[in-house]
Amino acid sequence: MEKTELERVQRYLRTLFGNPQIKVTARPKKKDSAEVYLGDEFIGVLFKDEEDGDLSYNFQMAILDADLED
């Protein structure tokens, strides 16, 4: 993903979630995805999807049961 794309998606996520600590960074050796961090903690992967002339970005985040508070 290009730097301008990463910046645009990062700006969108920060605004959407009201959190300026969200960072979107390029993945080494991967052109179609990026890593998403909350501060220094990795929280998920962002995939670029170009299909039938449409462009979208899909955010995937796994939540471990051990991370959930009872």
Side-chain angles (χ1 to χ4, degrees):
M1 294 174 61
E2 300 292 326
K3 183 179 177 182
T4 55
E5 289 177 290
L6 298 173
E7 291 170 348
R8 287 179 64 213
V9 175
Q10 176 177 278
R11 189 169 41 252
Y12 172 77
L13 291 173
R14 286 178 173 181
T15 301
L16 179 68
F17 294 113
N19 193 326
Q21 293 186 6
I22 294 173
K23 293 185 287 185
V24 179
T25 61
R27 292 176 78 189
K29 301 179 184 178
K30 300 284 185 177
K31 299 277 186 203
D32 65 342
S33 59
E35 295 177 347
V36 181
Y37 291 84
L38 183 55
D40 292 331
E41 183 176 349
F42 173 79
I43 60 169
V45 179
L46 183 76
F47 294 95
K48 180 178 179 178
D49 184 12
E50 294 180 274
E51 191 171 316
D52 299 329
D54 292 325
L55 173 62
S56 65
Y57 300 92
N58 302 305
F59 176 59
Q60 184 176 27
M61 178 179 168
I63 301 170
L64 301 175
D65 184 56
D67 291 337
L68 300 176
E69 294 181 22
D70 289 333

